[in-house]
Each structure stands twice: as structure tokens, then as C-alpha cells.
């Protein structure tokens, strides 16, 4: 293949040849079914229309991409798709962390948001539809209470705090953020 675009075009031609319909028609059919989750789309295409997993996966990804406009004005909007209730919590957490010091950098990524000074000292991640996880680097502090060991959450962080409401961003969390910030020199 000359490029990724050529490979995708070939796959879409093959889907049309195998199914008798172009990908755009399958995307429209998914919408007509009211399917919104990737797994539901793949299952429906395989069970009802005999798609193989690869073709069903591609069509489902296209349906989700076509339904999700990305905004350059809001670089974290994609993190809250299906999790809109977490956005006020995220906004409160970012306001708190940027108030910790003048050199705090908030850097959105594909699945989370890095918080850096000279080094990364925190991470905000929407882990479920109802919870944000705050990863912190606090090397000298033992885990206790809400300040859990990071475990399998993320190996770059020593601790994790599970947050479910704006009220969870309290003096204790602010203290841990400030401590992590101070250590990131």
C-alpha cells in the first residue's frame, strides 16, 4: 500500500463489494437503528448482516467518527463524550490546579490531561461515566484514605484520588496538588 489512506480506501471498496452497499449507507443504517456504542454496532453488523469482525469494526469506527465533531475551541471535549456530567468536575479541578502556581501547564491528550510544571506531577482522567481519577506524584507520602496507591491506574504516578463530584475537590485534594506541584522541580 502506498499510504494509510490507500489502505482505508481499499478496505471500504472491499466492504462495498462484499456487502453490496458503501460504508456511508452502513453508517446511515447504524444511525437508523439508534446504535450509539461501538460494541453494539459491531455485534449488529456481524449478527444481522454477516460482517466479519474487521469490516464491522471499521464501519463502527466510521459511524462514531462521523457522529463526533471535534472542536479546536475545546481540546478536551472528546474526553467527555458520554460523560458530560463529569465536565463541571473537570473544570473545577483544572481551575484549582492552575491556581497552584504560575507555571502549571494543562496538556490534553487522547485519553487524559497531563498537568506539568518542569515535570508532570498530576494527571486527570475520566475513568468511568461517573468518576474522574486524579493521578499524583507524591514520592514521600504513604497512601492513606482517599489518597490510594496508584496500583494499575498508571505507573507514572504514585497515588490516585477518585473524584465523583465538585465537592470532592476539597482542601485535602488541593493540599495534595500543591505538594505534588512543589515536588515537581
Amino acid at each position: 500500500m502506498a499510504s494509510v489512506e490507500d489502505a482505508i480506501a481499499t478496505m471500504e471498496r472491499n466492504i462495498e463489494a462484499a456487502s453490496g452497499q458503501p460504508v456511508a449507507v452502513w453508517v446511515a443504517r447504524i444511525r437508523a437503528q439508534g446504535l450509539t456504542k461501538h460494541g453494539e454496532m459491531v455485534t449488529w453488523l456481524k449478527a444481522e448482516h454477516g460482517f466479519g469482525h474487521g469490516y464491522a469494526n471499521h464501519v463502527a469506527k466510521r459511524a462514531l467518527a462521523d457522529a463526533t465533531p471535534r472542536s479546536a475551541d475545546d481540546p478536551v471535549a472528546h474526553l467527555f463524550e458520554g460523560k458530560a456530567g463529569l465536565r463541571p468536575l473537570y473544570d473545577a479541578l483544572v481551575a484549582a490546579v492552575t491556581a497552584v502556581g504560575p507555571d502549571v501547564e494543562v496538556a490534553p491528550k487522547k485519553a487524559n490531561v497531563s498537568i506539568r510544571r518542569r515535570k508532570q506531577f498530576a494527571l486527570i482522567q475520566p475513568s468511568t461515566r461517573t468518576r474522574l481519577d486524579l493521578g499524583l506524584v507524591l514520592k514521600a507520602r504513604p497512601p492513606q484514605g482517599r489518597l490510594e496507591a496508584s496500583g494499575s491506574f498508571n505507573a507514572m504516578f504514585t497515588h490516585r484520588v477518585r473524584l465523583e463530584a465538585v465537592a470532592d475537590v476539597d482542601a485535602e485534594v488541593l493540599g495534595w496538588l500543591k505538594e505534588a506541584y512543589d515536588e515537581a522541580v
Side-chain angles (χ1 to χ4, degrees):
M1 289 290 143
S3 69
V4 172
E5 291 80 16
D6 291 339
I8 291 170
T10 298
M11 177 178 261
E12 292 192 356
R13 282 193 303 275
N14 291 342
I15 290 169
E16 183 172 354
S19 68
Q21 300 291 329
V23 170
V25 169
W26 289 109
V27 168
R29 287 182 174 183
I30 286 171
R31 286 199 187 109
Q33 288 291 313
L35 303 175
T36 59
K37 294 183 179 177
H38 180 269
E40 294 172 340
M41 296 174 194
V42 170
T43 298
W44 180 75
L45 288 166
K46 290 167 72 173
E48 299 295 322
H49 300 286
F51 273 59
H53 184 78
Y55 287 173
N57 182 55
H58 178 77
V59 172
K61 284 184 173 186
R62 274 285 305 275
L64 290 170
D66 291 354
T68 308
R70 300 280 193 235
S71 170
D73 297 335
D74 187 0
V76 297
H78 68 281
L79 293 173
F80 299 100
E81 292 164 4
K83 303 173 185 177
L86 291 176
R87 186 59 191 259
L89 173 56
Y90 167 81
D91 292 339
L93 195 52
V94 168
V97 77
T98 55
V100 166
D103 56 347
V104 172
E105 177 187 352
V106 177
K109 307 293 185 196
K110 184 176 180 180
N112 53 48
V113 177
S114 294
I115 310 297
R116 299 189 288 237
R117 186 179 187 186
R118 287 189 186 123
K119 298 188 288 187
Q120 185 173 2
F121 66 92
L123 176 111
I124 302 169
Q125 177 176 299
S127 295
T128 71
R129 279 194 266 194
T130 60
R131 188 185 82 234
L132 284 180
D133 283 339
L134 173 63
L136 296 166
V137 178
L138 297 168
K139 293 180 180 172
R141 181 176 284 276
Q144 181 178 351
R146 293 192 309 158
L147 187 65
E148 307 172 4
S150 66
S152 63
F153 166 67
N154 190 313
M156 291 180 59
F157 298 90
T158 59
H159 297 79
R160 168 175 63 178
V161 182
R162 298 172 195 244
L163 305 168
E164 295 181 348
V166 173
D168 292 342
V169 183
D170 57 13
E172 191 173 41
V173 169
L174 297 177
W176 294 327
L177 280 167
K178 177 73 168 123
E179 186 177 339
Y181 169 85
D182 289 342
E183 289 181 15
V185 289

